[in-house]
Amino acid sequence: MSAARGRSRTGATTRFILLAAVIGVVLAFGVMVYRNQNTEVAAAPDFDGQGSGNALLHVEPGDTLGVVGDRLYDIGTVASTRAFTGAAAGTPVEGIQPGYYQVRQEMSAAAAVDALADPQNRVGFIEVKPGGRLLDTVVVGGGREKGIYTLIADATCLRDLDEPEAAPMCRQPQEIVDAAVQADPAELAVPDWAIDEVRGAPDPVRRLEGLIAPGVHNINPQSEPVEILRQLIDASTASYDETGLVPAADRIGLTPYEVVTAASLVEKEGKLQDFDKVARVILNRLAEPMRLQFDSTVNYALADQEIATTDADRAEVTPWNTYAMDGLPYGPIGSPGLDALRAMENPADGQWKYFVTVDMEGTTRFADEYPEHERYQSEAIANGVLASGR
């Protein structure tokens, strides 16, 4: 190999290295330009500010943050799903609860996140407590408790977000009552096992008593009253049926509607730890037969209610007063919780026919025979449990 050829190879190598360096610089510059341009293209569209107008967002169970963003985009609240999910990531809104929310239109993603985090913007939210009743209740010494009809009306309230000082627009409780009274029970999704009793109820205003289960319910505040009641009853029936209501009723010798009725008594008369014993007392008395004589059934028809009842109250003949009638009341006296319903479906074993709460802590004594029960009643009176506040 000659020296000349060797020098030529060295020069070629040098030129190759220089060319590669130039190409590297050009490529690096191109990548930088591409990234800058691509970032501008990828920026998620977003509105500015707090927005205006009014919109209603529905978050369903199982919705992901992306699905919530899609819904917000569909109703015109955010400019893009990506802007919302980016703003919401790592915030409490990431685990947003199912339900309905008032928002504005054309809000920035950050403003939308803040709106969903504000509890004032959650609407259509109803919480029915175990034992809750359709009508408002006045408790002696305890004020007024809102009934389910009133809770439904309250849940329909919508504010004008552009007029924060204006009164909210709400359905009136009477509108809910009218729907309950006037609509055909089948239209209200009343279950087959209750439909005859509902149609024949002695008080149409109370005919849906017990058919709206305790718990949290989310309703569309813009829905008509009939649709709201149908949704609540349908969901409640499903939760009752899941306990095995129908086969349990056959097993203990009652109809499903009677089981719900008896469970409403358990809810009102007993403490959780004693539910299954109270259920057994009910069945034992029905089998005897002997009257149930529950003060809760007397109270149901009274305008003012308390634990103790008067002789005159107990003598008043109503479709629910179990002092003045044999057997169960016509229908439920409230909404039984699932614990009370399961206790009625699976009562404890025992021969008890009497029980009484003997102190303010809720201690309940059960007795097989009346003389024993009388001693427990004396204990309750001594502790002030049966003293009247009238």
Side-chain angles (χ1 to χ4, degrees), residues 360-382:
M360 296 303 179
E361 286 70 47
T363 304
T364 302
R365 309 287 191 204
F366 291 81
D368 296 359
E369 302 298 335
Y370 190 70
E372 183 183 12
H373 178 60
E374 281 187 307
R375 293 195 298 272
Y376 294 148
Q377 282 184 312
S378 297
E379 182 181 357
I381 292 170

Side-chain angles (χ1 to χ4, degrees), residues 286-310:
L286 292 175
E288 189 67 18
M290 61 187 294
R291 289 184 173 179
L292 294 179
Q293 297 184 323
F294 285 176
D295 288 283
S296 58
T297 65
V298 177
N299 266 316
Y300 182 68
L302 298 179
D304 300 330
Q305 302 180 10
E306 62 177 326
I307 293 177
T309 57
T310 67

